[in-house]
Amino acid sequence: MNTQPTLAKEGGSTGTTGQIPPSDGLKAGLKNRHLSMIAIGGVIGAGLFVGSGSGIAAAGPAILLSYALVGAMVVFVMRMLGEMAAARPSSGSFSAYADQALGRWAGFTIGWLYWFFWVVVLAVEATAGAVILESWVPAVPQWAWALIVMVVLTATNLASVASYGEFEFWFAGIKVVAIGAFVAIGMLAVFGVLPGSDNPGAGFAHLTDAGGFLPMGAGAILTGVLMVVFSFMGSEIVTLAAGESEDPQRAVTKATNSVIWRIGVFYLGSIFVVLTLLPWNDPSITEKGSYVAALDSIGIPAAGQIMNVIVLTAVLSCLNSGLYTASRMAFSLGQRGDAPKGFAKVDKRGVPRTAILASVVFGFVAVFFNYQWPDTVFAFLLNSSGAVALFVWLVICVTQLRMRGIILRESPEKLVVKMWLFPYLTWATIGMIVFVLGYMIYDGGSAREQVVLSLLVAALVLAIALVRERAKKASRA
């Protein structure tokens, strides 16, 4: 097996249109509309709906600056990843690029850490979905709902990549329409022009009328950053999915160029609406959740159930994409000889069945741990994968520093997406990520535990990678 993927292996040959058929056995089953909606919905996780209330309580209106800082970091990382993915579409995305630019140890380490992250996410999202479904149909126990959800989405992924794309198209579509409607209706209520609204419509007054814009001080902005950073994980999924599309270069370019307005509207826009409809210290924001509290203030009937439907959609979307992402990373690792060879095999529909089933098995095991030992074993899994998102972004930045030169040397015509102000903005983004990791350790509590445990797991995987490399060199000597 070729252990150092070449340009042809990763992307195949391109014509004048930029179309790159998959050359690794995967089928180009994702249509442009699938990729567009995966790109739009990829940045909208359940964390936005569920976790924003605690962020608002911790930082007040300044949480907007926290979202803006993390959003800018994600925009820069996606631009760097887009530069590499447009030139070399690959099912392994940043793991394959790290393999080429930094060495086999880097691709192996970040690939397995990313797989581990999404396997744990499968358990989290399956449980979250089961909680909502059990509240609707209590006759079915929570564990059974988790099993049903996992089985249905596993079947979807096993059917074909097109079925994954179709499910994600509708899941993401519901999220996008819901948030778009929330922002539009909310802004009308903010200015008191929404017919029948119960909200007095204070305009922008609530941004400063409860202790000012920085009621907790400037340091709360950084605290807010720690609380919101993980709700952005998933933006990079479109670069993995692009490898199974009809025109990967076009899909990646479009997704990369649109990430700014997506984050601006969906994250900053929706949180801005919440903060202008209610004072940041309104108890209902933490008691009911920020979005439910905002809808209640307008007078939307059954706001809680409406939000439950939207959150369930976000959960299913995240579960669907998590299974897809974990399996494609396992597939790529198998191709490069960094995972069992069976992971790299595809069936007649171009589906990496073994990679999907292996990911699901570990997902089921994690679900079992969540029910059996939620405060010990599963808490360890959760915390030890907590900082992986930041590790992934850091590796993307460092990889892009090296890959720019490789692309310019081997195929400069494929550099159709370029990182702005290279290399200065790349180094600045690296500094931002390192600072956030350092602040997490300094801040203490669960944030420090996540970084320390994630570093320990990363060190273990890295040690395995280095031992494998040494063993291979010894066998060739």
Side-chain angles (χ1 to χ4, degrees):
M1 177 175 289
N2 183 7
T3 58
Q4 191 71 16
T6 62
L7 180 59
K9 178 67 177 175
E10 290 299 330
S13 58
T14 61
T16 56
T17 63
Q19 292 185 350
I20 308 173
S23 58
D24 47 19
L26 298 175
K27 295 286 182 68
L30 293 176
K31 300 176 181 177
N32 287 333
R33 66 181 178 88
H34 293 153
L35 264 294
S36 296
M37 198 56 75
I38 290 169
I40 294 172
V43 293
I44 311 172
L48 174 62
F49 302 105
V50 178
S52 55
S54 57
I56 291 172
I63 195 69
L64 284 170
L65 298 181
S66 304
Y67 273 103
L69 283 172
V70 179
M73 191 162 64
V74 172
V75 167
F76 297 151
V77 170
M78 278 297 293
R79 186 74 186 183
M80 288 180 252
L81 184 54
E83 176 181 298
M84 296 182 287
R88 299 188 173 193
S90 167
S91 59
S93 187
F94 51 84
S95 173
Y97 309 142
D99 193 306
Q100 298 168 55
L102 305 178
R104 296 297 309 280
W105 62 270
F108 178 96
T109 304
I110 203 62
W112 277 114
L113 285 176
Y114 192 67
W115 178 87
F116 172 59
F117 171 86
W118 281 110
V119 167
V120 175
V121 166
L122 292 181
V124 174
E125 300 298 338
T127 304
V131 169
I132 296 174
L133 290 166
E134 187 191 28
S135 70
W136 293 342
V137 188
V140 180
Q142 193 180 117
W143 67 266
W145 277 122
L147 179 64
I148 290 168
V149 167
M150 288 280 279
V151 168
V152 169
L153 293 179
T154 299
T156 299
N157 276 266
L158 285 172
S160 69
V161 69
S163 61
Y164 154 73
E166 199 63 34
F167 266 71
E168 193 57 26
F169 175 81
W170 291 106
F171 285 153
I174 292 171
K175 291 189 291 185
V176 169
V177 170
I179 294 185
F182 175 79
V183 172
I185 293 171
M187 287 307 295
L188 291 175
V190 165
F191 292 106
V193 294
L194 181 67
S197 173
D198 294 342
N199 194 288
F204 301 146
H206 287 322
L207 293 175
T208 55
D209 65 4
F213 187 74
L214 294 165
M216 302 294 189
I221 298 173
L222 292 177
T223 302
V225 165
L226 303 188
M227 301 182 78
V228 307
V229 66
F230 301 108
S231 65
F232 283 84
M233 190 65 172
S235 308
E236 68 291 331
I237 290 175
V238 69
T239 63
L240 279 81
E244 293 178 80
S245 70
E246 298 167 349
D247 192 347
Q249 194 176 83
R250 177 177 177 273
V252 169
T253 303
K254 188 176 180 181
T256 303
N257 291 337
S258 65
V259 71
I260 297 175
W261 71 259
R262 286 186 275 132
I263 289 175
V265 172
F266 299 134
Y267 280 85
L268 290 172
S270 60
I271 298 299
F272 180 80
V273 166
V274 171
L275 289 167
T276 48
L277 283 174
L278 294 165
W280 69 270
N281 56 357
D282 190 304
S284 65
I285 291 179
T286 50
E287 291 171 2
K288 300 177 181 178
S290 56
Y291 290 84
V292 173
L295 291 173
D296 277 343
S297 77
I298 297 173
I300 302 293
Q305 287 304 320
I306 292 173
M307 193 50 59
N308 272 341
V309 172
I310 296 170
V311 170
L312 179 62
T313 303
V315 164
L316 294 176
S317 171
C318 190
L319 192 59
N320 192 38
S321 287
L323 180 53
Y324 171 83
T325 305
S327 65
R328 281 355 183 236
M329 186 57 73
F331 170 80
S332 178
L333 288 166
Q335 269 199 315
R336 289 176 273 144
D338 291 336
K341 291 182 179 180
F343 285 13
K345 293 181 179 179
V346 298
D347 61 19
K348 60 183 180 182
R349 294 186 299 273
V351 174
R353 180 180 294 270
T354 304
I356 291 173
L357 292 175
S359 301
V360 170
V361 166
F362 280 93
F364 275 125
V365 170
V367 170
F368 173 75
F369 287 157
N370 195 9
Y371 284 105
Q372 192 68 27
W373 302 289
D375 299 322
T376 52
V377 178
F378 188 73
F380 171 80
L381 291 178
L382 199 59
N383 286 325
S384 60
S385 65
V388 168
L390 291 167
F391 294 169
V392 167
W393 295 345
L394 188 60
V395 167
I396 289 171
C397 295
V398 176
T399 300
Q400 191 260 341
L401 285 172
R402 296 288 302 275
M403 280 295 288
R404 169 67 74 91
I406 294 173
I407 295 170
L408 284 175
R409 185 168 60 251
E410 296 183 2
S411 49
E413 74 282 358
K414 293 182 180 177
L415 196 63
V416 294
V417 176
K418 293 184 180 180
M419 176 58 184
W420 308 296
L421 299 176
F422 178 82
Y424 309 108
L425 201 49
T426 300
W427 279 111
T429 308
I430 291 173
M432 290 171 64
I433 297 171
V434 171
F435 176 80
V436 170
L437 286 168
Y439 190 77
M440 288 176 72
I441 295 175
Y442 168 79
D443 193 56
S446 61
R448 176 183 296 170
E449 186 178 6
Q450 285 182 18
V451 174
V452 172
L453 288 179
S454 296
L455 283 172
L456 286 175
V457 171
L460 175 62
V461 178
L462 175 59
I464 294 172
L466 294 176
V467 169
R468 289 177 76 256
E469 283 295 295
R470 183 170 296 181
K472 285 183 178 180
K473 288 180 180 179
S475 66
R476 289 195 296 265

